[in-house]
Coordinates of all heavy atoms in Angstrom, one line a residue:
N99 N -1.4 4.9 -27.9 CA -1.2 5.8 -26.8 C -2.4 6.7 -26.5 O -2.3 7.8 -26.2 CB 0.0 6.7 -27.0 CG 1.3 5.9 -27.2 OD1 1.5 4.9 -26.6 ND2 2.1 6.3 -28.1
N100 N -3.6 6.0 -26.5 CA -4.9 6.7 -26.2 C -5.3 6.3 -24.8 O -5.0 5.2 -24.3 CB -5.9 6.4 -27.2 CG -5.5 6.8 -28.6 OD1 -5.3 7.9 -28.9 ND2 -5.4 5.8 -29.5
T101 N -6.2 7.1 -24.2 CA -6.9 6.8 -23.0 C -8.4 6.7 -23.4 O -8.9 7.7 -23.8 CB -6.7 7.8 -21.9 OG1 -5.3 7.8 -21.5 CG2 -7.5 7.4 -20.6
I102 N -9.0 5.5 -23.2 CA -10.3 5.2 -23.7 C -11.1 4.7 -22.4 O -10.8 3.6 -22.0 CB -10.4 4.2 -24.8 CG1 -9.6 4.8 -26.0 CG2 -11.8 3.9 -25.2 CD1 -9.2 3.8 -27.1
R103 N -12.0 5.5 -21.9 CA -12.8 5.0 -20.8 C -13.7 3.9 -21.0 O -13.9 3.1 -20.1 CB -13.6 6.2 -20.2 CG -12.8 7.2 -19.5 CD -13.6 8.2 -18.8 NE -12.8 9.1 -18.0 CZ -13.3 10.3 -17.5 NH1 -14.6 10.6 -17.7 NH2 -12.5 11.1 -16.9
G104 N -14.2 3.7 -22.2 CA -15.1 2.6 -22.6 C -14.3 1.5 -23.2 O -13.3 1.0 -22.7
D105 N -14.9 0.9 -24.3 CA -14.4 -0.2 -25.0 C -13.7 0.1 -26.3 O -14.0 1.1 -26.9 CB -15.5 -1.2 -25.3 CG -16.3 -1.7 -24.1 OD1 -15.6 -1.9 -23.0 OD2 -17.5 -1.9 -24.2
I106 N -12.9 -0.8 -26.8 CA -12.4 -0.8 -28.2 C -13.1 -2.0 -28.8 O -12.9 -3.2 -28.3 CB -10.9 -0.9 -28.3 CG1 -10.2 0.3 -27.7 CG2 -10.5 -1.1 -29.7 CD1 -8.7 0.2 -27.7
Q107 N -13.9 -1.8 -29.9 CA -14.6 -2.9 -30.5 C -14.3 -2.9 -32.0 O -14.4 -1.9 -32.6 CB -16.1 -2.7 -30.3 CG -16.5 -2.7 -28.9 CD -17.9 -2.2 -28.7 OE1 -18.4 -1.4 -29.4 NE2 -18.6 -2.8 -27.7
A108 N -13.9 -4.0 -32.5 CA -13.6 -4.2 -33.9 C -14.3 -5.5 -34.4 O -14.0 -6.6 -34.0 CB -12.1 -4.3 -34.2
D109 N -15.3 -5.3 -35.2 CA -16.1 -6.4 -35.7 C -15.9 -6.5 -37.2 O -16.4 -5.6 -38.0 CB -17.6 -6.3 -35.3 CG -18.4 -7.5 -35.7 OD1 -17.8 -8.6 -35.9 OD2 -19.6 -7.3 -35.8
K110 N -15.3 -7.6 -37.7 CA -15.0 -7.8 -39.1 C -14.1 -6.7 -39.8 O -14.2 -6.4 -40.9 CB -16.3 -7.9 -39.9 CG -17.1 -9.1 -39.5 CD -18.5 -9.2 -40.2 CE -19.3 -10.3 -39.7 NZ -19.9 -10.1 -38.4
A111 N -13.3 -6.1 -39.0 CA -12.3 -5.1 -39.5 C -11.2 -5.8 -40.2 O -10.8 -6.9 -39.9 CB -11.7 -4.3 -38.3
L112 N -10.6 -5.1 -41.3 CA -9.6 -5.7 -42.1 C -8.3 -5.8 -41.3 O -7.5 -6.7 -41.5 CB -9.3 -4.9 -43.3 CG -10.4 -4.9 -44.4 CD1 -10.1 -4.0 -45.5 CD2 -10.6 -6.3 -44.9
F113 N -8.0 -4.8 -40.4 CA -6.7 -4.7 -39.7 C -7.0 -3.9 -38.4 O -7.7 -2.9 -38.4 CB -5.8 -3.9 -40.6 CG -4.5 -3.5 -39.9 CD1 -3.4 -4.3 -39.9 CD2 -4.3 -2.2 -39.4 CE1 -2.2 -4.0 -39.3 CE2 -3.2 -1.8 -38.8 CZ -2.1 -2.7 -38.7
V114 N -6.4 -4.4 -37.3 CA -6.5 -3.7 -36.0 C -5.1 -3.7 -35.4 O -4.6 -4.8 -35.2 CB -7.6 -4.3 -35.1 CG1 -7.6 -3.6 -33.8 CG2 -8.9 -4.3 -35.8
D115 N -4.6 -2.6 -34.9 CA -3.4 -2.5 -34.2 C -3.6 -1.6 -33.0 O -3.8 -0.4 -33.2 CB -2.3 -2.0 -35.1 CG -0.9 -2.1 -34.5 OD1 -0.8 -2.8 -33.5 OD2 0.0 -1.6 -35.1
V116 N -3.7 -2.2 -31.8 CA -3.8 -1.4 -30.6 C -2.5 -1.5 -29.8 O -2.0 -2.5 -29.4 CB -5.0 -2.0 -29.7 CG1 -5.1 -1.3 -28.4 CG2 -6.3 -2.0 -30.4
V117 N -1.9 -0.3 -29.6 CA -0.6 -0.2 -29.0 C -0.5 0.8 -27.9 O -0.8 2.0 -28.1 CB 0.5 0.1 -30.0 CG1 1.9 0.1 -29.4 CG2 0.5 -0.8 -31.2
G118 N -0.3 0.4 -26.7 CA 0.0 1.3 -25.6 C -1.2 2.1 -25.1 O -1.1 3.1 -24.4
D119 N -2.4 1.6 -25.4 CA -3.7 2.3 -25.0 C -4.0 1.9 -23.5 O -3.7 0.8 -23.0 CB -4.9 1.9 -25.8 CG -4.9 2.5 -27.2 OD1 -4.0 3.4 -27.4 OD2 -5.7 2.2 -28.0
H120 N -4.6 2.8 -22.8 CA -5.2 2.6 -21.5 C -6.7 2.5 -21.7 O -7.3 3.5 -22.1 CB -4.9 3.7 -20.5 CG -3.4 3.7 -20.0 ND1 -2.4 4.0 -20.8 CD2 -2.9 3.2 -18.9 CE1 -1.3 3.9 -20.2 NE2 -1.6 3.4 -19.0

Side-chain angles (χ1 to χ4, degrees):
N99 300 324
N100 301 297
T101 298
I102 300 167
R103 285 192 178 164
D105 300 325
I106 297 176
Q107 301 167 324
D109 186 20
K110 298 177 183 71
L112 291 177
F113 170 86
V114 179
D115 193 11
V116 176
V117 182
D119 286 352
H120 285 75

